[in-house]
Amino acid sequence: MAKAITLLPTLHNMIIRPQSLLYPQSSLSPSPKPYRNPNPRNPSGSFARISKPLPPLSGHPNTSDPGLLFREKILYLENHLNVDSRKALHQNPNFRSSPLSSLKSVEDCLSSMGIERSAMGRILDMHPKLLTSDPHYDLYPIFDFLLNEVGIPFPEIRKSIIKCPRLLVCSVDDQLRPALRFLTNLGFVGRNSITSYTTLLLVSSVEGTLLPKIEYLQSLGLSYSEVSTMVLRSPGILMLSIENNLRPKVEYLLKEMKGDIRELKRFPQYFSFSLENKIKLRHRLLVEHGYWLPLSEMLKVSDGEFNARLLEMRLLSVEDR
């Protein structure tokens, strides 16, 4: 453990100094009676139906009872963190044998980064693997990477994690750092550096996700520099499916709208709008009345503003007659 801490000198000086966990204090009250199953025909019982948590067991002499310790851990997981215990045990069988103190150390780690309990429960429910993680070995290196290599300010770390909890289950060496290197080369530096809103790009595979998007856009006749500029202006492009999003929108622009690729360079945000619910609907309304608008003017405004603009153009055309 000491060895893991020395790997993070910057965090030790800044904020990531895990506080001592507070364990339940011993009590002078008598030890709680062992749980008795109210339905003897169902000897296995069901912790999911228990409505009242047991008193803390840590200060009592019978805490060696594995059944009681397991039950206390499950109740803590469900009642305190609001995590589905059945899902957790199914996806992370190791959680069955891990102590409650291990879970509390994970909770303490996430709390030290400003993540409140409600968000913490959602994160742990999404990624039960975290329930048995070692904060010093698995989590603090990720926070160190975000703070010191990506350059995310400490107050923004919470936003990054809540927006993309998957960051916490990615390897720094195998996933996060290679993605950062690729994005940096693409131009995500200086005022275009990765922020808490774009850290989700770091969980994307370079070979399987990021690079194919760049290559597809280049296949349309765009240079690498032009593609880089487009992506920096609209980073969400890198998160979209080629087959389900990029290609259908390009084909509609070229074939139905009779547009050209230069319009994408001017307005790369085109890809972020719904093809069925916005692009096609507005384009058809314009065609129906014999009008045309640049992509940005057609899509950036609200429905009300678009309808008002359409009405204005119709009135002007009537006056010209």
Side-chain angles (χ1 to χ4, degrees), residues 179-198:
L180 176 63
R181 188 179 304 116
F182 178 86
L183 293 169
T184 299
N185 291 336
L186 192 59
F188 283 86
V189 294
R191 63 186 181 88
N192 295 313
S193 295
I194 297 293
T195 68
S196 59
Y197 296 100
T198 52

Side-chain angles (χ1 to χ4, degrees), residues 76-77 80-83 103-128 130-131 139 158 161-162 165 168:
Y76 188 89
L77 183 69
H80 184 70
L81 295 172
N82 197 30
V83 175
L103 172 59
K104 288 185 175 181
S105 69
V106 173
E107 179 186 7
D108 186 67
C109 170
L110 297 179
S111 179
S112 73
M113 301 307 296
I115 300 174
E116 61 274 13
R117 189 185 302 169
S118 58
M120 194 183 304
R122 182 176 64 86
I123 291 170
L124 295 174
D125 195 65
M126 289 176 62
H127 299 287
L130 293 170
L131 296 171
L139 300 180
R158 170 188 168 278
I161 300 302
I162 290 177
L168 296 178

Side-chain angles (χ1 to χ4, degrees), residues 18-302:
Q19 300 174 353
S20 300
L21 297 179
L22 301 179
Y23 293 90
Q25 300 297 316
S26 59
S27 171
L28 297 178
S29 59
S31 301
K33 295 181 180 180
Y35 167 69
R36 298 182 183 279
N37 186 359
N39 182 6
R41 296 184 180 181
N42 181 18
S44 62
S46 175
F47 52 73
R49 297 181 181 177
I50 298 172
S51 58
K52 294 182 178 180
L54 290 174
L57 303 178
S58 303
H60 296 283
N62 61 351
T63 55
S64 60
D65 185 320
L68 291 177
L69 290 174
F70 178 74
R71 186 163 170 242
E72 180 187 25
K73 178 176 64 177
I74 293 300
L75 287 171
Y76 188 89
L77 183 69
E78 294 195 335
N79 297 344
H80 184 70
L81 295 172
N82 197 30
V83 175
D84 185 341
S85 61
R86 294 184 183 278
K87 174 184 174 183
L89 290 168
H90 175 71
Q91 295 189 13
N92 185 359
N94 292 331
F95 179 64
R96 183 176 297 276
S97 58
S98 68
L100 177 57
S101 59
S102 176
L103 172 59
K104 288 185 175 181
S105 69
V106 173
E107 179 186 7
D108 186 67
C109 170
L110 297 179
S111 179
S112 73
M113 301 307 296
I115 300 174
E116 61 274 13
R117 189 185 302 169
S118 58
M120 194 183 304
R122 182 176 64 86
I123 291 170
L124 295 174
D125 195 65
M126 289 176 62
H127 299 287
K129 175 184 177 181
L130 293 170
L131 296 171
T132 53
S133 61
D134 181 337
H136 294 280
Y137 181 79
D138 301 314
L139 300 180
Y140 287 120
I142 294 173
F143 295 137
D144 179 62
F145 171 78
L146 293 175
L147 282 164
N148 297 299
E149 294 189 45
V150 183
I152 304 296
F154 174 72
E156 301 292 308
I157 293 292
R158 170 188 168 278
K159 292 181 183 179
S160 296
I161 300 302
I162 290 177
K163 188 174 182 65
C164 184
R166 189 178 162 193
L167 284 165
L168 296 178
V169 293
C170 287
S171 165
V172 171
D173 292 330
D174 298 333
Q175 171 57 51
L176 301 180
R177 190 170 286 122
L180 176 63
R181 188 179 304 116
F182 178 86
L183 293 169
T184 299
N185 291 336
L186 192 59
F188 283 86
V189 294
R191 63 186 181 88
N192 295 313
S193 295
I194 297 293
T195 68
S196 59
Y197 296 100
T198 52
T199 44
L200 75 168
L201 294 174
L202 296 172
V203 306
S204 301
S205 165
V206 171
E207 298 296 330
T209 301
L210 300 176
L211 188 57
K213 311 296 171 54
I214 302 300
E215 292 174 340
Y216 170 72
L217 293 174
Q218 286 183 285
S219 74
L220 300 176
L222 299 167
S223 68
Y224 182 84
S225 175
E226 290 171 332
V227 171
S228 173
T229 300
M230 289 173 60
V231 168
L232 292 176
R233 290 179 59 195
S234 185
I237 291 175
L238 294 175
M239 302 301 296
L240 300 175
S241 164
I242 293 176
E243 296 304 323
N244 299 327
N245 198 304
L246 300 183
R247 194 187 306 278
K249 289 176 181 176
V250 168
E251 291 178 352
Y252 188 81
L253 172 69
L254 299 179
K255 296 178 181 179
E256 301 298 327
M257 299 177 69
K258 309 303 180 184
D260 74 49
I261 297 301
R262 286 176 297 179
E263 293 185 70
L264 295 179
K265 291 193 293 183
R266 289 191 290 266
F267 188 64
Q269 294 88 345
Y270 167 79
F271 290 110
S272 65
F273 294 94
S274 168
L275 179 59
E276 297 297 329
N277 298 328
K278 182 158 285 191
I279 297 174
K280 287 184 177 182
L281 289 178
R282 293 191 176 184
H283 172 248
R284 287 168 182 170
L285 280 173
L286 290 171
V287 171
E288 181 181 336
H289 294 92
Y291 303 127
W292 175 88
L293 285 174
L295 289 180
S296 59
E297 294 182 33
M298 183 181 85
L299 297 172
K300 285 177 68 175
V301 297
S302 66

